[in-house]
Amino acid sequence: MKHVIIACALLLSVIRSTHAQTRVFKEVGNEISSSIRAITQDGALVGYLLFTELEKADKDSFNYKLTIMDENLNDIGKVNFREMKLDLQSVAFEQDVLCLAYMKSNLLGYTYDRRREKKDAIKKGYLAVYTQFIDLTGKMLKTNTIRVNTDLKGYFNNASTSIGSGGMKEYLRVSNVNGKGFACFFGDDRGKFLYAYDKNGNQTWHKRVGLEDADYNMLVSGHDVYFLVHHRDPTVEGGYAIQGYGLDDSTTISRQYLKDKKGNQLRVLSFTNNPATGKPYVSGAIINPRKGKGPVFLRTIAKGRYSGLFTLNIDGRGRDSMKPVYTYWKDQTALTNTKGRFNHNKSFLMAGPSFKDFSGNTYFTGTAAKRTINTGLVIAEAATLPLIIPPIYMLSLGGTRKFIARESMVLKQTPEGVLSLDNSIAVANSRGIAAKIATEMMDNKSYYSLHSPEKKATYLIITEQKNITLYQVDAKKVIRTIPRKDGSIETLIFPAKEGHVLVAEYDKKEKSRKFSIEAL
């Protein structure tokens, strides 16, 4: 499960419900700001933390308040402290200890009226990673400060009241290590760094884990940490590799580049832990080396940009521990043609996330993109033929075809590599998008998955403009549809405790946010 960040950026006062699973946060001013972060342990949500920046204590520091809530939104502890400007980035939980990771600065987030003051502040300014370790009684066990190197002068904005990314090359994140402590990762101008802490906040080791210009995605699995490394190349898709470290002793797990058995590059859609085994896996699409170049337009997908789908199960540290499952379109003629066009709806898949169930199957989700004639544009081009230039311009810009984002699709890949259409889910179509400019980013839907270990159930959440659809994968049915907007109230859905979702409602009229924990 991905870590959830629910940003409020409001001045809040809290009103508790008698049901203890509902909280209402109201806007009451502009001086104070708050944000809510999910508290996670082993990828599961175990509570929430409300971080509030109060009034300024003096010219250099602020007063802060932490409100710790359980999974039902009940208060279980509060902590007040004073510090320089902070921006809470990540929260993790292990053995009754919270680890909070902030960006901290004596420059970013401050404003200066005089040019000389601003110049002196930039000269003395710094940015740091700041971690706090707090038990559930509110006792501060330890804090750590690690200065980082970024282009502060270039990033500094005298009008900004927040730190933001601070110019970091990799955003700050922390994750718990079961039975041991915490892993903390970030990247600055010097490289990518991994720090290991015990549960009391004592550093056990640290090392630089990367120098290259690449994106690093961290995943803790047991007592190992893995990084999905992505070298971005605008001319060619792919460029993924996996490397890791043993968190007990910093042992290196050798880097492996992600390619299929034919040497083709892979596009990663998911990198997370198997809900049944707790071990890592990677899944996504197999790239056609002749077609997988340049930006990902839907027209390139229709021309056979991808050759099929894959799952890589990581079963240990050795080079032979990666167990691949490859499924190629050419071997699935009852389902698709060789370019990936599905026979049942004559559409292509605009890829969403992929995920596993508790039986070892991998699911690939997304929207059916159907290519049709752009009738309106063709008529306009024909009508303006005598003018010569306008039809040429319209033809070069829009072409004669369009894509429409239609129903949601759920594909199922078995551990043996058999691929099937598990279901199609009726949702709203998008407007037609000119085929020459249509990309996956123009999909009118977004997706994420949830797991219920207790029920061994998997759910898919589909969000579109008007509705949110909750779909139970194992039962192949829609279990609930929630309107996105009802009068002045706008609704969003986020993961919550076992078998539940967090329903967030924003009332524009009352300027308030209501958070409710509701059963799936």
Side-chain angles (χ1 to χ4, degrees):
M1 181 186 296
K2 292 183 179 179
H3 289 245
V4 185
I5 299 178
I6 309 166
C8 296
L10 304 170
L11 179 127
L12 310 174
S13 64
V14 179
I15 304 173
R16 256 188 278 190
S17 163
T18 56
H19 299 291
Q21 290 196 328
T22 299
R23 299 288 291 268
V24 178
F25 302 92
K26 283 193 173 183
E27 300 181 29
V28 294
N30 297 316
E31 293 297 322
I32 300 172
S33 64
S34 293
S35 61
I36 293 178
R37 297 290 186 270
I39 302 172
T40 59
Q41 181 179 32
D42 300 330
L45 188 144
V46 296
Y48 302 91
L49 185 135
L50 179 67
F51 172 65
T52 305
E53 180 184 296
L54 301 168
E55 71 284 350
K56 208 169 184 180
D58 53 45
K59 68 173 185 175
D60 297 319
S61 61
F62 296 81
N63 289 315
Y64 295 97
K65 182 174 72 173
L66 301 173
T67 304
I68 305 168
M69 295 175 279
D70 67 12
E71 59 186 10
N72 294 319
L73 297 173
N74 296 306
D75 289 352
I76 58 176
K78 294 186 179 182
V79 181
N80 292 282
F81 66 98
R82 179 183 294 185
E83 248 308 338
M84 291 180 180
K85 189 69 175 183
L86 297 176
D87 190 335
L88 180 61
Q89 304 268 312
S90 185
V91 184
F93 181 76
E94 177 61 32
Q95 299 184 65
D96 295 333
V97 174
L98 280 168
C99 175
L100 287 74
Y102 307 83
M103 296 309 301
K104 170 182 171 181
S105 181
N106 65 346
L107 173 66
L108 302 182
Y110 294 84
T111 57
Y112 302 90
D113 296 327
R114 298 180 180 178
R115 183 178 296 178
R116 177 171 293 181
E117 288 180 352
K118 177 182 173 181
K119 186 176 180 180
D120 290 343
I122 292 174
K123 186 177 180 180
K124 298 175 183 178
Y126 73 86
L127 181 67
V129 168
Y130 179 65
T131 50
Q132 292 175 330
F133 298 84
I134 305 171
D135 67 18
L136 294 182
T137 68
K139 179 182 178 182
M140 192 80 67
L141 302 176
K142 191 174 179 63
T143 63
N144 299 293
T145 300
I146 306 166
R147 289 204 180 195
V148 298
N149 287 2
T150 63
D151 180 15
L152 282 183
K153 183 177 180 181
Y155 187 81
F156 175 68
N157 179 357
N158 195 41
S160 176
T161 58
S162 64
I163 293 177
S165 70
M168 297 286 283
K169 297 296 187 292
E170 293 287 346
Y171 71 89
L172 172 63
R173 66 207 88 164
V174 291
S175 182
N176 76 292
V177 183
N178 189 277
K180 185 175 179 66
F182 302 91
C184 176
F185 173 72
F186 61 88
D188 63 7
D189 290 346
R190 301 167 301 166
K192 329 282 185 177
F193 295 90
L194 177 65
Y195 282 74
Y197 297 99
D198 66 19
K199 71 180 185 66
N200 295 314
N202 299 304
Q203 180 184 309
T204 56
W205 60 268
H206 82 279
K207 65 166 50 180
R208 183 163 53 188
V209 298
L211 279 169
E212 76 265 60
D213 184 16
D215 297 329
Y216 277 53
N217 186 5
M218 182 179 80
L219 175 67
V220 172
S221 179
H223 282 200
D224 293 331
V225 59
Y226 292 88
F227 292 99
L228 178 68
V229 183
H230 185 200
H231 292 87
R232 294 183 182 273
D233 185 340
T235 63
V236 181
E237 199 175 7
Y240 289 95
I242 288 180
Q243 68 183 55
Y245 300 88
L247 288 167
D248 292 329
D249 54 10
S250 75
T251 304
T252 299
I253 301 172
S254 299
R255 176 176 290 196
Q256 297 193 51
Y257 293 91
L258 302 189
K259 297 181 180 181
D260 74 352
K261 56 189 176 183
K262 301 176 183 178
N264 298 322
Q265 294 280 347
L266 305 177
R267 176 193 180 186
V268 174
L269 298 174
S270 178
F271 173 56
T272 187
N273 288 321
N274 187 324
T277 66
K279 294 182 178 180
Y281 73 94
V282 187
S283 55
I286 304 166
I287 300 169
N288 184 331
R290 293 180 297 126
K291 305 289 182 66
K293 298 178 181 180
V296 184
F297 289 103
L298 295 187
R299 56 185 167 84
T300 66
I301 296 176
K303 291 179 179 179
R305 187 182 188 95
Y306 303 112
S307 303
L309 302 171
F310 76 91
T311 301
L312 299 177
N313 300 295
I314 303 173
D315 199 30
R317 294 184 177 183
R319 286 193 173 275
D320 59 349
S321 64
M322 195 172 287
K323 310 297 183 183
V325 179
Y326 300 114
T327 304
Y328 296 91
W329 301 136
K330 65 182 181 63
D331 301 323
Q332 306 292 316
T333 54
L335 182 65
T336 74
N337 68 8
T338 56
K339 294 181 179 180
R341 190 183 74 168
F342 289 86
N343 299 329
H344 73 285
N345 59 5
K346 310 300 181 185
S347 299
F348 298 87
L349 182 68
M350 298 171 68
S354 59
F355 52 86
K356 277 184 174 287
D357 64 11
F358 289 88
S359 299
N361 302 302
T362 304
Y363 292 85
F364 297 87
T365 62
T367 302
K370 188 173 181 63
R371 185 171 57 177
T372 63
I373 296 295
N374 195 340
T375 307
L377 192 56
V378 170
I379 292 174
E381 290 166 355
T384 56
L385 275 177
L387 301 178
I388 302 176
I389 294 178
I392 294 176
Y393 176 77
M394 286 188 287
L395 185 64
S396 63
L397 184 65
T400 59
R401 296 196 174 195
K402 65 181 177 180
F403 280 97
I404 299 175
R406 298 167 66 91
E407 70 271 21
S408 295
M409 296 170 60
V410 180
L411 306 178
K412 178 181 177 180
Q413 183 192 53
T414 68
E416 296 74 33
V418 177
L419 188 68
S420 62
L421 175 67
D422 201 56
N423 207 354
S424 292
I425 306 165
V427 287
N429 293 347
S430 73
R431 294 182 178 180
I433 309 167
K436 284 196 172 185
I437 62 170
T439 70
E440 289 179 323
M441 299 297 292
M442 296 178 181
D443 192 356
N444 66 328
K445 308 166 192 69
S446 62
Y447 302 83
Y448 67 88
S449 61
L450 297 174
H451 295 293
S452 175
E454 183 179 314
K455 297 181 179 180
K456 304 296 182 185
T458 304
Y459 303 90
L460 179 66
I461 313 299
I462 307 169
T463 302
E464 53 180 291
Q465 184 176 2
K466 293 185 178 181
N467 294 304
I468 301 171
T469 302
L470 280 66
Y471 175 78
Q472 186 171 353
V473 177
D474 317 86
K476 298 186 181 182
K477 66 178 183 180
V478 173
I479 57 176
R480 191 175 176 188
T481 300
I482 302 172
R484 282 282 307 277
K485 292 184 178 181
D486 184 5
S488 64
I489 298 175
E490 184 173 350
T491 303
L492 289 173
I493 300 292
F494 300 96
K497 64 180 182 178
E498 167 75 24
H500 293 72
V501 290
L502 177 70
V503 180
E505 298 177 345
Y506 177 61
D507 191 326
K508 294 182 179 179
K509 184 177 180 180
E510 298 295 328
K511 296 189 180 298
S512 65
R513 291 184 188 266
K514 176 184 175 183
F515 295 94
S516 304
I517 307 296
E518 299 185 13
L520 281 166

